[in-house]
Amino acid sequence: MNFEGVTVRELLRLPILKDAKVIGGEQGLDRIVRYIDIMEVPDIKGWLREGELILTTGYSIRHDPGLLEDVVEQLDLANAAALAVKPERFITKIPQEVIDKSNLHHIPLIQIPPGIPYIDITYNMMEQILDRQAALLRRSEEVYKALTNLVLNNSGLQVMADNVAELIQCPVWVISNTGDVLVSSPQDTQITASMKTRHWDVTVEKQFVGKLIVGKEQLDEFEQVCVEQARLVFSLELMRRKIALDTEVKLRGSFFEELLMGLPLSRQEVDDKGRKLGLLPGWIWEVGMIEGEPSHFEEQSSFLTELQALIQRHSEQRKVRVRSHVQRLGERLILLLATGSSTDPPKKLPAGQEDIKEWPQLLAPLLAKWSGLRTGFGSKCSLWEVHRSYIEARKAIIIGSHLDRNKTVFTFNDVEMFQLLLDASEHVSFDELMDKKIGKLSLYDKQNGTNLVSTLYYYLATGGSLMETARLLYVHRNSVKYRMDRIKEIVGKDFDNPLNRFVYYLCTAFYLLKKED
């Protein structure tokens, strides 16, 4: 706790100093006094402290009172409190130059009446300072006990914030490390740019977890004590919440691992375990899988922190507050994303806020910011079917990345037809049809180092757009036009015919999928 002290003005109200006079530096009467010392020699440079009040009879400078000017200079440099002089015995008169210097630096120059012993002055001053400090310590302990009891009684952040706001008589906010408002008092009070505020970091286990913000710039000693105690108890509360959350996440992670591995659990077992972990059976789920640089998936990485914050924020904005989950599995990141049940009543959204988008749409902008990531999303399912959605997410990445080298986010719904085609090829041979339709193109590519099969696929996939095909292949539009003319010569077909488009689209897609196996 940083004890400020007592002002010079307050000390001058002591009965022992009722006859003392301020003869210079009146503008500095609100300087803080923390210490009192007696000057025995004129050379005080190097041992003055901030907040120090110096008493002197002037004996050591009786032959040259002008040395007091240098004393005032040194007091100013040390940000000391004041200079008190008993001049009658050794200095008949304080020079005007000294008074002018004290006025210049706002260092109070106090003339002490003769006959008052130093011991009486120092005793009364220190008693005042120590009494103030003791009172502040007592109040600090009371605040600490009151706030700590709130933590021990699990009163919650809102009650704690309300108590702190009442103590310091201004609004308070606790902000998470991602910038979200965890709590405010009064509740729902918004921070505006015009507000005058101060903030302090809140840490848990030496890690920055958020900020405590108060709605005023200047705080007195007691308010500063309240803020220091508030930081401590908010840290304790956030640590308690973190431990509880970490335990819950660990339990949910173990449960989800069982589901992802496809262990033989009955639907009833899944529903019962889910309920115990706050996962309601009616929720709809979909699995996302992210592949990429492993460093992105490490704890506290920028990507993982941003991803978890985004998922948490949008989970809370659903029709009902759901609990999604992010888990690392080997070299991949698995997202278990929940939405409310279709039977849930609609959630009232704030004015101007759009309806909640699908998870792939919500996460795509963030995923696009980080290079080298590929993400697949399985189809929606119930909790006991997440293993199927997990397999689908993996297939979405494999099939999607083979068919479109530029995309990084794939959904199983987009590639489901191609999966059926691959499944069917295990029982029915498509090689003869593929060779009949694009065999010549494939042979031409192998002999000439071209990629006409890929060009035809992208041309058909984009609905016959030369510009879009050129963009996907990173070539000029005229190059695509030339290739398409050559393709038509080789296969002898006109791709304006819808049936031809369909057949050749499937054949080229199947060729690309099998080629990459």
Side-chain angles (χ1 to χ4, degrees):
M1 181 179 65
N2 182 24
F3 173 67
E4 290 291 342
V6 180
T7 67
V8 177
R9 190 189 306 277
E10 290 173 319
L11 289 179
L12 289 174
R13 297 193 187 111
L14 292 172
I16 193 72
L17 296 176
K18 62 183 178 62
D19 294 323
K21 296 180 181 179
V22 179
I23 60 175
E26 286 192 44
Q27 291 183 333
L29 287 177
D30 290 319
R31 284 176 176 263
I32 299 297
V33 180
R34 296 190 181 93
Y35 316 100
I36 300 170
D37 208 342
I38 298 171
M39 187 182 79
E40 299 290 354
V41 295
D43 185 13
I44 59 174
K45 184 177 180 181
W47 57 264
L48 282 175
R49 294 170 291 180
E50 181 179 354
E52 194 162 25
L53 185 148
I54 296 297
L55 291 169
T56 183
T57 60
Y59 176 79
S60 60
I61 56 173
R62 62 189 182 282
H63 302 302
D64 188 4
L67 289 175
L68 281 175
E69 281 191 69
D70 186 55
V71 172
V72 173
E73 290 277 4
Q74 294 303 319
L75 289 168
D76 177 60
L77 291 174
N79 196 24
L83 175 63
V85 183
K86 294 173 66 176
E88 281 79 1
R89 186 172 181 185
F90 299 108
I91 303 176
T92 56
K93 183 179 180 182
I94 296 177
Q96 183 61 42
E97 293 80 7
V98 177
I99 296 174
D100 292 341
K101 188 71 72 172
S102 71
N103 288 328
L104 175 65
H105 295 301
H106 303 161
I107 297 291
L109 185 58
I110 304 166
Q111 183 172 320
I112 304 293
I116 304 178
Y118 276 156
I119 187 63
D120 290 348
I121 297 173
T122 56
Y123 176 83
N124 281 274
M125 284 186 173
M126 288 307 300
E127 184 181 44
Q128 181 78 359
I129 293 172
L130 293 175
D131 282 351
R132 177 74 62 85
Q133 188 172 8
L136 191 60
L137 286 170
R138 285 194 298 272
R139 297 187 70 186
S140 171
E141 186 177 0
E142 291 170 1
V143 170
Y144 174 73
K145 286 182 178 179
L147 295 179
T148 304
N149 283 334
L150 295 178
V151 177
L152 297 176
N153 293 329
N154 196 19
S155 302
L157 282 176
Q158 186 61 58
V159 175
M160 292 167 56
D162 290 342
N163 274 264
V164 174
E166 184 177 353
L167 285 168
I168 62 177
Q169 293 297 299
C170 73
V172 301
W173 300 264
V174 178
I175 311 297
S176 71
N177 57 357
T178 58
D180 297 320
V181 177
L182 297 177
V183 68
S184 65
S185 182
Q187 200 166 0
D188 299 325
T189 302
Q190 301 295 319
I191 303 176
T192 63
S194 61
M195 282 185 174
K196 295 181 178 180
T197 62
R198 288 183 64 183
H199 63 83
W200 293 262
D201 290 347
V202 178
T203 59
V204 171
E205 296 177 342
K206 298 183 179 180
Q207 293 184 355
F208 170 74
V209 295
K211 291 180 183 291
L212 168 62
I213 300 177
V214 302
K216 61 168 65 172
E217 285 185 315
Q218 301 297 325
L219 301 176
D220 61 27
E221 289 179 342
F222 176 68
E223 290 169 340
Q224 291 183 44
V225 167
C226 292
V227 167
E228 290 182 18
Q229 302 296 0
R231 287 176 63 196
L232 175 60
V233 295
F234 280 131
S235 295
L236 291 174
E237 174 63 15
L238 292 177
M239 178 181 289
R240 188 191 64 78
R241 292 176 59 169
K242 181 179 184 297
I243 292 172
L245 180 61
D246 288 348
T247 303
E248 183 180 335
V249 168
K250 186 175 181 180
L251 291 172
R252 285 210 308 267
S254 299
F255 175 54
F256 280 128
E257 277 190 22
E258 294 179 3
L259 297 178
L260 294 174
M261 291 170 63
L263 296 182
L265 298 173
S266 69
R267 182 169 182 173
Q268 188 62 47
E269 286 178 304
V270 172
D271 287 349
D272 290 344
K273 283 190 174 183
R275 279 195 188 91
K276 292 177 182 178
L277 295 171
L279 311 174
L280 301 185
W283 290 354
I284 305 300
W285 295 82
E286 56 190 300
V287 177
M289 178 183 293
I290 305 178
E291 295 180 345
E293 178 59 44
S295 61
H296 290 331
F297 308 150
E298 293 176 357
E299 190 175 355
Q300 303 300 325
S301 70
S302 299
F303 169 72
L304 186 57
T305 300
E306 201 171 340
L307 176 68
Q308 289 174 324
L310 179 64
I311 290 175
Q312 180 179 349
R313 183 164 62 251
H314 286 294
S315 293
E316 293 173 353
Q317 292 174 352
R318 297 280 161 177
K319 291 180 180 178
V320 294
R321 182 173 179 173
V322 295
R323 298 186 179 185
S324 297
H325 186 76
V326 179
Q327 183 163 336
R328 184 169 181 174
L329 199 62
E331 296 302 310
R332 301 185 179 96
L333 203 63
I334 308 301
L335 318 178
L336 295 113
L337 306 167
T339 58
S341 169
S342 58
T343 60
D344 292 330
K347 181 178 180 179
K348 186 177 180 181
L349 298 174
Q353 184 173 321
E354 299 179 359
D355 290 337
I356 302 299
K357 298 178 181 177
E358 297 290 334
W359 279 113
Q361 292 176 281
L362 290 170
L363 299 181
L366 170 62
L367 296 168
K369 288 170 53 179
W370 300 82
S371 61
L373 297 179
R374 298 187 304 176
T375 307
F377 290 92
S379 56
K380 295 181 178 180
C381 62
S382 60
L383 184 61
W384 62 282
E385 296 175 306
V386 296
H387 177 67
R388 170 177 59 80
S389 186
Y390 168 69
I391 298 300
E392 292 174 350
R394 175 65 179 150
K395 289 179 178 179
I397 293 178
I398 295 173
I399 297 174
S401 57
H402 286 172
L403 296 177
D404 193 335
R405 67 182 71 177
N406 297 291
K407 283 185 67 175
T408 57
V409 179
F410 311 95
T411 66
F412 185 74
N413 290 338
D414 294 336
V415 303
E416 187 173 10
M417 181 187 69
F418 300 106
Q419 180 60 47
L420 292 173
L421 187 62
L422 290 172
D423 291 342
S425 68
E426 296 179 4
H427 307 285
V428 179
S429 176
F430 288 96
D431 293 341
E432 184 176 345
L433 174 64
M434 191 169 61
D435 185 62
K436 184 189 301 183
K437 298 298 182 180
I438 60 173
K440 292 181 181 179
L441 276 184
S442 173
L443 180 62
Y444 185 90
D445 281 346
K446 291 176 182 177
Q447 292 176 342
N448 297 277
T450 56
N451 59 348
L452 296 184
V453 175
S454 295
T455 301
L456 178 58
Y457 167 76
Y458 283 114
Y459 177 78
L460 297 172
T462 59
S465 169
L466 296 177
M467 290 294 293
E468 193 63 17
T469 303
R471 185 185 68 80
L472 293 171
L473 293 172
Y474 300 105
V475 297
H476 195 273
R477 177 180 180 278
N478 291 338
S479 298
V480 176
K481 187 176 185 305
Y482 168 78
R483 292 183 190 181
M484 287 307 303
D485 290 339
R486 189 76 186 98
I487 289 169
K488 291 174 183 177
E489 290 177 10
I490 295 173
V491 301
K493 293 292 183 180
D494 181 2
F495 297 108
D496 292 334
N497 182 292
L499 181 59
N500 284 341
R501 284 176 180 267
F502 175 71
V503 172
Y504 278 88
Y505 175 64
L506 289 181
C507 287
T508 53
F510 187 71
Y511 173 83
L512 293 176
L513 290 172
K514 298 298 287 185
K515 178 183 176 183
E516 300 290 342
D517 284 348

